[in-house]
Amino acid sequence: MAARIAARAEEVELVGVGRDLIEFLLHAESADAVGAALQSLQASLVEQQADLPAETRLDFAIGAACAPHDETDLLRLLEAAEVALARAGDEGGLNIIDLSLADRCVDRLTLIADLPRAIAAGEMFLHYQPKINVRQQRVSSAEALIRWQHPERGLIMPGDFIAAAEESGQIGPLTLWTLRQVIVDQRRMAARGHDIPLFLNISGMLLANAGFVDEVCEIITANPAAKLGFEITETAVIRDPESAIRHLQQFADHGVVLAIDDYGAGLSSLAYLKQLPAKELKIDKMFITQLTSSHRDPLIVRSTIDLAHALEMEVTAEGVETPAALALLSVMGCDLVQGYLISRPVPFAALCSYLDGQDQLVETMANRPVFLRSGSSWTRA
């Protein structure tokens, strides 16, 4: 099926192939042309199976996102396409989200006004990005990442609304909603035999808020079986180290695993690092993406891994996108990896499917094709 898609036209480029997912890039003159091309593709794939026995035919759906040619945020396109794919089953097997429609760039005041209603109306949802234990070659945990499906403006990414939530004081209620949903999802995963911790991000603005910390601890106390982790940035601690460290210790005392996020991206301080009750340190992806092409980044990453191990912390490398980077991190003694080579952030159901079949996925991970982007083109690595 992937080969047939790639052979459709010069405008179609195969991007990646998973166990049950094909990703491709299509260039067209307009959103209408995208729709026409995908409808034609859908009809062709159905027609090509017409002579096959019923038990060998494939059921499939197509979800797509389109944007102007100057769109540079590939992640935004991919996540919108995933939302479209989830809708496609109810819309004849094809759904397209047009990111170029009016008012995609929503002003912050509008977002601030909409946030309380959005939280109450259930417009927020979570995607999860798994982390693989390098030595065990298994998923050890996953990070929850919040998304907003606005009824009028479509998919709004966290970069557009998290700052608005912090500015308006809504970041507390938003984080509490996330915590409760993560607990529900972790319980559902455990019931399926995947009792792994789920991590969520805690804004630095909340670490000094005693009321928020107390409410979080009450929720955790009411759900003692939940395996949870909080990711915090080191710069968040530097804002108010005394109260931040005290409140982080409260979380740790309630069994929450603490991870230091984006290490190296801000003003890293060993003075604060040694005081934090953290069990995991995440190296920022800015050091990982250039790991195999830079002279300095490998030295920084290796020394950071050694430092974290000396402080009895596990190390996670973010932004792992190539087998070469994964191999080098393994040699360096990195404990966990997270990134597009493993998986993008995916809906909860997709994460469960990933975990159900992770033995097969891990076995094929090193052998599957990897496609790298250079400018507007993709090459197979």
Side-chain angles (χ1 to χ4, degrees), residues 298-322:
L299 297 175
I300 295 171
V301 171
R302 179 58 185 266
S303 63
T304 302
I305 292 173
D306 291 342
L307 171 64
H309 287 169
L311 294 173
E312 298 182 347
M313 285 190 275
E314 287 191 314
V315 179
T316 297
E318 298 183 282
V320 179
E321 299 180 356
T322 66

Side-chain angles (χ1 to χ4, degrees), residues 3 20-21 28 39 69 167 191 217 287 302 310 315 324 343 348:
D20 58 0
L21 182 68
Q39 287 172 0
H69 285 285
E167 181 179 330
C217 291
F287 298 106
R302 179 58 185 266
V315 179
S343 171
F348 176 75

Side-chain angles (χ1 to χ4, degrees), residues 171-173 175 202-210 212-213 239 247 251:
I171 192 64
T175 304
I202 304 294
S203 168
M205 295 185 64
L206 297 173
L207 287 182
N209 187 331
F212 168 82
V213 172
R239 292 176 184 174
H247 290 152
F251 293 149

